Amino acid sequence: MSFNYKKITIKVGSNVLTKTDGTLNVARMAHLVDQIAQLYKQGVEVILVSSGAVAAGRSEIKLNKKLDTVSSRQLYSAVGQVKMINQWADFFTQHGINCAQVLTTKDNFGERNHYLNMKNCFTTLLENGVVPIVNENDTISVSELMFTDNDELSGLIASMQNSDALLILSNIDGIYDGNPALSESKVITEIGQKDRDWMENISTQKSGFGRGGMLTKSSIARKTAKEGIAVHIANGLRDNVLTDILRKESQVIHTWFKPGKRKASNVKKWIAYSDSFAKGELVINQGACEALFSPKATSLLPIGVTKVKGQFKKGDIVKIMDEKGHLIGWGKSQYAAEKVHAKSDSVKQKPVVHYDYLYLSED
């Protein structure tokens, strides 16, 4: 395996940044910055997606009264984010590198103009030699609209910024061919676009301090790799894991998702992560399904839509399903909900979802 990346997104999980007692693992943070600094000075652009704010705040605050889940998360993240970003900044300053805090919510990615504004923010920081440090703004995020965890956020950012690779650092070595707790289980070192057998062994158990687990990581990895971005899932507690993986001939035991050869357009990449932003749903017939998945680039015409669900406007993202309830993909609707069926009677039909604004599900 030979890796030669110029732009990477690194996601560091809570279990890497937090010790067993819930306090920040400052030594591990320092070592990660040492590695990032090496890459930075070799001309690699780095975006760091950092979990750990809630865990950091939990170790700082003693509650005066019992709080509900949302209030406690807001309190811990507000206090912990300050502690965490200051710690990152101190370590980067020691290497003469500027960093910037970028807090975001899922809503920022749901509307195209906000998405492009976010993209421009990252581009400006990187062009000026600043390392963006990103986290979800848990203090104001609504539970129903939160990212699954920072794995989802990191995949979206890697896609948005056209990163060459996404490195997801957890507290295990990668994806195993069995239960990681069993000695006979081995790490799957390489997963191709068409490989599926490994999916049977993914654990649904969530990590100790984070909101997600290996199921989320693998799902994000598949989607991101499909878009032409290499994905590495590795053990962030292993010394020199970043610099060792990015060597020309990497010997680090970890899981590498091979990137697809054809890169999606920027608009399609945005739509790929739009599931939770969808305002409505289009149910399509078998003929439309076959046309969309044919080798020829095909748009979705109104005549192929059998049912419209939800209220959406022209330009909103909609989910596309078949009549058996299987997900087909997502797209940007060219019509408001009430006009879709009306357009199906037109002699010359314009697409309800144009191919350029259509993203088909990998399954």
Side-chain angles (χ1 to χ4, degrees):
M1 292 184 287
S2 178
F3 308 118
N4 185 21
Y5 304 135
K6 295 299 182 184
K7 179 187 289 187
I8 61 174
T9 298
I10 301 168
K11 185 266 179 177
V12 188
S14 296
N15 283 330
V16 176
L17 298 176
T18 310
K19 294 190 289 188
T20 55
D21 63 358
T23 59
L24 278 179
N25 191 335
V26 177
R28 183 54 48 183
M29 293 176 72
H31 182 60
L32 288 168
V33 172
D34 290 343
Q35 296 172 74
I36 293 172
Q38 289 185 51
L39 300 173
Y40 178 95
K41 291 171 182 177
Q42 292 170 11
V44 179
E45 292 184 327
V46 177
I47 299 171
L48 177 60
V49 180
S50 173
S51 301
V54 172
R58 189 182 291 117
S59 66
E60 293 290 309
I61 293 290
K62 291 184 179 180
L63 296 179
N64 294 323
K65 62 178 182 178
K66 188 174 182 179
L67 298 176
D68 59 66
T69 302
V70 173
S71 296
S72 61
R73 188 185 71 239
Q74 290 174 324
L75 174 65
Y76 292 144
S77 62
V79 173
Q81 186 64 37
V82 175
K83 180 178 177 64
M84 192 175 69
I85 195 64
N86 283 338
Q87 197 69 73
W88 284 124
D90 287 345
F91 290 136
F92 276 108
T93 298
Q94 292 173 22
H95 291 277
I97 299 172
N98 289 317
C99 67
Q101 175 176 256
V102 180
L103 296 177
T104 185
T105 66
K106 209 166 192 176
D107 282 344
N108 294 140
F109 294 93
E111 202 276 324
R112 183 67 177 161
N113 287 336
H114 288 174
Y115 178 87
L116 293 174
N117 190 46
M118 179 75 70
K119 179 180 174 67
N120 181 66
C121 170
F122 282 106
T123 300
T124 301
L125 291 171
L126 293 171
E127 287 177 348
N128 286 277
V130 178
V131 174
I133 301 177
V134 194
N135 196 7
E136 182 171 12
N137 192 348
D138 286 342
T139 59
I140 61 172
S141 292
V142 179
S143 297
E144 293 77 12
L145 298 177
M146 292 180 72
F147 292 102
T148 306
D149 68 358
N150 273 347
D151 296 317
E152 185 182 1
L153 175 59
S154 67
L156 202 156
I157 289 174
S159 173
M160 178 179 68
Q161 286 302 120
N162 296 316
S163 294
D164 298 316
L166 168 63
L167 286 78
I168 299 176
L169 301 185
S170 185
N171 59 345
I172 60 174
D173 291 335
I175 293 176
Y176 286 77
D177 60 6
N179 187 334
L182 301 177
S183 59
E184 62 265 28
S185 298
K186 305 297 181 186
V187 173
I188 303 172
T189 57
E190 186 175 314
I191 295 177
Q193 287 290 298
K194 296 183 179 180
D195 295 340
R196 289 293 183 270
D197 292 345
W198 60 273
M199 297 171 63
E200 299 174 1
N201 301 309
I202 297 295
S203 171
T204 58
Q205 183 176 355
K206 294 186 177 181
S207 57
F209 288 105
R211 291 202 303 269
M214 196 52 68
L215 186 63
T216 305
K217 290 174 176 58
S218 62
S219 175
I220 294 300
R222 288 178 64 207
K223 181 178 289 187
T224 305
K226 181 187 177 184
E227 297 167 14
I229 299 170
V231 181
H232 302 262
I233 297 179
N235 193 333
L237 299 175
R238 182 190 291 268
D239 287 348
N240 301 311
V241 64
L242 291 175
T243 49
D244 285 350
I245 285 177
L246 268 64
R247 284 184 324 202
K248 293 280 187 176
E249 295 300 327
S250 174
Q251 300 298 318
V252 179
I253 298 297
H254 74 290
T255 300
W256 172 46
F257 284 78
K258 295 178 66 175
K261 293 182 180 179
R262 184 179 178 183
K263 293 199 173 186
S265 69
N266 287 334
V267 171
K268 285 180 180 282
K269 286 182 177 181
W270 170 58
I271 294 173
Y273 288 88
S274 65
D275 185 45
S276 57
F277 310 138
K279 303 295 186 183
E281 189 175 301
L282 301 175
V283 180
I284 64 175
N285 59 34
Q286 184 62 29
C289 290
E290 293 173 357
L292 293 181
F293 283 104
S294 69
K296 182 181 178 181
T298 305
S299 300
L300 175 62
L301 298 177
I303 197 170
V305 179
T306 60
K307 188 179 296 184
V308 178
K309 297 181 180 180
Q311 294 296 320
F312 53 88
K313 306 186 299 295
K314 178 182 178 180
D316 282 345
I317 298 296
V318 292
K319 188 181 295 187
I320 303 168
M321 310 289 291
D322 69 13
E323 292 177 313
K324 295 181 179 179
H326 300 135
L327 175 66
I328 301 301
W330 305 268
K332 184 178 178 182
S333 179
Q334 302 301 305
Y335 301 117
E338 64 273 10
K339 293 186 177 181
V340 175
H341 283 315
K343 296 295 182 180
S344 64
D345 296 328
S346 302
V347 176
K348 292 185 178 181
Q349 294 191 14
K350 293 183 179 180
V352 61
V353 177
H354 191 277
Y355 174 79
D356 291 342
Y357 299 96
L358 171 68
Y359 187 91
L360 298 176
S361 172
E362 59 204 81
D363 296 321

